[in-house]
C-alpha cells in the first residue's frame, strides 16, 4: 500500500512540474515553500553577475548603463539569465562611488527591504 501511494504522489508531482497549465496553477500555492530556495539561488546569481560586471569593466573600462543592464546580461549569457527567480529583471544600482547588482526579491518591488543586493563595489573612474 505504501509503495502504491508513493508512485501516485510521484506521478502527481511530475505532472505539476512537467505540465505548464498545472504548474502555473500550483505555483501560487508552492511559492511560499520555494522562496528560501529562490532567495538562495538569486543571492548566488547576484554575486555571479557582480563578478561578470567587474570582469566586463576590466575589459571595457566602464560600467554598462543601468538601463542597459538586462541587455548586457543577455548579450553575455543568454536571454533568460537576465531575470531572477521571481521573473523580475536584475538591476544595476549606481552611486557616485560604487555600484551594486540587485534583485527586487520576493515582493517583486525594487527598493524595498527584501531586495537582494551584492556588496558595493568601487565604480570605475571615468
Amino acid at each position: 500500500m505504501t509503495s502504491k501511494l508513493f508512485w501516485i504522489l510521484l506521478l502527481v508531482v511530475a505532472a505539476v512540474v512537467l505540465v505548464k497549465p498545472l504548474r502555473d496553477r500550483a505555483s501560487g500555492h508552492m511559492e511560499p515553500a520555494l522562496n528560501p530556495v529562490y532567495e538562495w539561488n538569486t543571492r548566488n546569481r547576484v554575486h555571479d553577475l557582480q563578478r561578470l560586471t567587474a570582469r566586463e569593466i576590466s575589459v571595457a573600462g566602464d560600467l554598462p548603463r543601468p538601463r542597459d543592464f538586462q541587455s548586457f546580461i543577455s548579450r553575455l549569457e543568454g536571454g533568460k539569465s537576465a531575470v531572477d527567480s521571481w521573473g523580475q529583471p536584475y538591476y544595476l544600482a549606481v552611486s557616485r562611488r560604487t555600484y551594486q547588482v540587485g534583485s527586487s526579491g520576493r515582493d517583486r518591488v525594487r527598493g524595498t527591504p527584501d531586495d537582494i543586493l551584492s556588496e558595493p563595489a568601487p565604480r570605475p573612474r571615468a
Side-chain angles (χ1 to χ4, degrees), residues 104-121:
S104 299
R106 78 169 63 178
D107 71 358
R108 298 170 176 88
V109 177
R110 183 176 170 177
T112 58
D114 79 329
D115 284 12
I116 298 171
L117 294 166
S118 64
E119 292 295 318

Side-chain angles (χ1 to χ4, degrees), residues 65-125:
R65 292 185 303 217
R67 70 175 183 237
D68 298 331
F69 194 59
Q70 287 78 40
S71 60
F72 163 78
I73 297 168
S74 295
R75 178 174 51 86
L76 295 176
E77 296 195 330
K80 292 200 177 213
S81 59
V83 296
D84 65 17
S85 298
W86 296 277
Q88 301 301 304
Y90 289 103
Y91 62 86
L92 186 64
V94 180
S95 71
R96 285 183 50 206
R97 295 192 175 142
T98 64
Y99 71 93
Q100 291 178 282
V101 174
S103 159
S104 299
R106 78 169 63 178
D107 71 358
R108 298 170 176 88
V109 177
R110 183 176 170 177
T112 58
D114 79 329
D115 284 12
I116 298 171
L117 294 166
S118 64
E119 292 295 318
R123 187 174 175 181
R125 297 175 193 230

Side-chain angles (χ1 to χ4, degrees), residues 2-114:
T2 307
S3 176
K4 191 175 188 179
L5 182 60
F6 170 78
W7 288 109
I8 291 170
L9 184 59
L10 183 63
L11 182 62
V12 168
V13 169
V16 168
V17 169
L18 298 174
V19 179
K20 184 165 177 28
L22 291 176
R23 184 175 58 237
D24 291 345
R25 195 164 180 200
S27 68
H29 301 291
M30 292 175 17
E31 188 171 309
L34 294 175
N35 275 329
V37 175
Y38 288 170
E39 288 174 11
W40 177 83
N41 184 52
T42 301
R43 192 168 310 285
N44 287 328
R45 183 72 179 131
V46 161
H47 294 298
D48 289 345
L49 291 172
Q50 175 89 0
R51 286 189 291 275
L52 179 73
T53 304
R55 196 172 2 185
E56 186 69 11
I57 290 169
S58 70
V59 171
D62 201 9
L63 278 168
R65 292 185 303 217
R67 70 175 183 237
D68 298 331
F69 194 59
Q70 287 78 40
S71 60
F72 163 78
I73 297 168
S74 295
R75 178 174 51 86
L76 295 176
E77 296 195 330
K80 292 200 177 213
S81 59
V83 296
D84 65 17
S85 298
W86 296 277
Q88 301 301 304
Y90 289 103
Y91 62 86
L92 186 64
V94 180
S95 71
R96 285 183 50 206
R97 295 192 175 142
T98 64
Y99 71 93
Q100 291 178 282
V101 174
S103 159
S104 299
R106 78 169 63 178
D107 71 358
R108 298 170 176 88
V109 177
R110 183 176 170 177
T112 58
D114 79 329

